[in-house]
């Protein structure tokens, strides 16, 4: 049996009542105005100690005890034979073990973000209804147009836009598995010559990209790459990965504000992984061959984008990807066999 002094708070008022606490083998008891209070040790919750601050014992009736008798508190938290609490107490009071625990937490978080999050995002994207994804895409495009001002209204003539829309429709008609999509034209401004696929199959192509291209085949080659992103739902998966990664960081840091403020920027600045870009390239190569469009058109426009990117903003198609020379190697062929002249 052990006796120690403490202040009792009933959980209703802020008044503290000094009490003498008796700690027995299975019970904790103290008297208030002559009326004894008795609690099973298994029912109380000692809070984790913080430095030399008063120790806190939460009681099952909503009240709590606060004491400066650290030794008595430790005997309560570390009863004889309870190896778990003894080990935890040992770790909490040794800096090296604390740093090791922190390192393990960081490694676990990195592992979740590096491997677990992409896999989870892919599964969630496959299960998400098309209507939900389309709504997200509309919100992102609206934010790009108005909230962030990334895009300006297109200056392409209506007949030029219509010609490209018809060319893309004919391109999709010559192949199987062309995903549902919607073509949007915008003036890129600081973004410059660029194209990007948003959730829900929205493909944005800038006036500057159209101006940079030397033929409709080059524009179609870029759009084929973006259709690859649409088919594999890369933009949705990327947004989900960012959200899930943020939740992992929240679990580690408790900072919800960073997640809430960072998500819009992530959605607006898509930067696909190398594997996603490689998948989109593979789709584009197969689609161009099937539509009898020279794959070299993609190599030509990619080289032009690479030259223009020096000293400026990196187009989405060039980001997070191996070197352009290695990337365009499979696209250097001319018309596929059987397509004629």
């Amino acid at each position: 049996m052990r006796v120690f002094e403490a202040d009792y708070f009933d959980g209703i008022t802020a008044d503290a009542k000094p009490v003498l606490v008796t700690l027995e083998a299975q019970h904790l008891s103290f008297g208030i105005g002559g009326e004894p209070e008795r609690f099973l040790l298994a029912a109380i919750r000692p809070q984790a100690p913080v430095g030399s601050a008063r120790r806190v014992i939460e009681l099952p009736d909503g009240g709590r005890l606060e004491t400066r008798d650290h030794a008595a508190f430790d005997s309560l938290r570390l009863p004889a034979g309870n190896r778990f609490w003894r080990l935890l107490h040992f770790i909490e009071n040794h800096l090296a073990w604390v740093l090791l625990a922190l390192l393990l937490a960081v490694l676990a978080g990195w592992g979740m973000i590096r491997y677990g999050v992409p896999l989870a995002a892919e599964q969630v994207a496959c299960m998400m209804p098309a209507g939900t994804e389309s709504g997200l895409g509309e919100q992102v495009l609206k934010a790009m147009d108005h909230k962030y001002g990334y895009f300006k209204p297109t200056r392409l003539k209506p007949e030029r836009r219509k010609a490209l829309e018809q060319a893309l429709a004919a391109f999709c008609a010559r192949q199987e598995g062309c995903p549902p999509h919607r073509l949007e034209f915008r003036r890129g401004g600081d973004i410059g010559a660029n194209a990007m696929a948003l959730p829900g199959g929205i493909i944005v192509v800038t006036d500057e990209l159209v101006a940079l291209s030397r033929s409709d085949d080059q524009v179609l080659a870029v759009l084929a790459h973006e259709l690859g992103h649409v088919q594999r739902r890369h933009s949705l998966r990327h947004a989900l990965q960012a959200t899930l990664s943020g939740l992992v960081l929240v679990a580690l840091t408790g900072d919800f504000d960073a997640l809430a403020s960072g998500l819009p920027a992530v959605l607006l600045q898509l930067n696909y992984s190398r594997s996603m870009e490689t998948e989109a390239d593979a789709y584009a190569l197969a689609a161009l061959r099937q539509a009898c469009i020279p794959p070299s058109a993609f190599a030509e426009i990619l080289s032009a984008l690479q030259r223009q990117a020096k000293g400026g903003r990196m187009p989405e198609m060039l980001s997070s990807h191996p070197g352009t020379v290695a990337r365009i190697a499979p696209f250097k062929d001319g018309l596929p066999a059987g397509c004629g002249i």
Side-chain angles (χ1 to χ4, degrees), residues 28-39:
L28 178 149
S29 61
F30 56 89
I32 305 176
E35 299 181 3
E37 296 282 347
R38 188 177 177 85
F39 301 96

Side-chain angles (χ1 to χ4, degrees), residues 13-228:
T13 66
D15 296 333
K17 299 180 178 65
V19 295
L20 281 177
V21 181
T22 300
L23 181 60
E24 304 174 59
Q26 300 294 330
H27 294 84
L28 178 149
S29 61
F30 56 89
I32 305 176
E35 299 181 3
E37 296 282 347
R38 188 177 177 85
F39 301 96
L40 285 170
L41 293 183
I44 67 175
R45 291 192 304 164
Q47 292 187 2
V50 179
S52 60
R54 288 158 59 98
R55 304 312 196 218
V56 179
I57 304 168
E58 296 182 359
L59 303 173
D61 64 355
R64 75 175 189 272
L65 295 167
E66 294 186 5
T67 181
R68 294 190 181 279
D69 192 333
H70 294 185
F73 179 84
D74 289 343
S75 68
L76 174 65
R77 296 186 75 231
L78 308 171
N82 193 328
R83 295 182 178 179
F84 172 77
W85 286 109
R86 290 185 181 278
L87 177 61
L88 184 60
H89 180 70
F90 176 82
I91 293 175
E92 290 174 341
N93 288 274
H94 289 78
L95 180 59
W97 286 103
V98 172
L99 293 177
L100 177 60
L102 177 61
L103 176 61
L104 291 176
V106 171
L107 290 176
W110 176 84
M112 279 293 298
I113 293 174
R114 178 66 178 84
Y115 299 104
V117 166
L119 180 60
E122 184 175 2
Q123 297 303 315
V124 173
C126 291
M127 296 184 292
M128 182 172 289
T132 303
E133 183 182 359
S134 297
L136 176 61
E138 296 292 350
Q139 290 297 318
V140 174
L141 181 59
K142 182 178 180 181
M144 283 181 159
D145 285 340
H146 304 295
K147 183 176 181 180
Y148 293 90
Y150 281 15
F151 293 138
K152 302 297 181 183
T154 181
R155 290 179 178 173
L156 289 178
K157 294 182 179 180
E159 53 269 25
R160 180 61 175 141
R161 299 200 302 269
K162 185 176 181 179
L164 289 174
E165 290 170 351
Q166 292 176 341
L168 181 59
F171 172 79
C172 281
R174 294 196 296 269
Q175 59 178 291
E176 297 179 0
C178 187
H181 59 275
R182 188 179 89 222
L183 192 57
E184 292 283 345
F185 296 95
R186 295 291 189 275
R187 184 157 47 93
D190 292 338
I191 293 178
N194 218 325
M196 61 190 67
L198 304 182
I202 300 174
I203 299 178
V204 181
V205 60
T206 66
D207 296 359
E208 292 84 347
L209 179 68
V210 176
L212 181 66
S213 63
R214 296 183 178 180
S215 66
D216 286 358
D217 282 351
Q218 291 187 1
V219 178
L220 288 174
V222 172
L223 294 178
H225 173 87
E226 299 306 326
L227 285 171

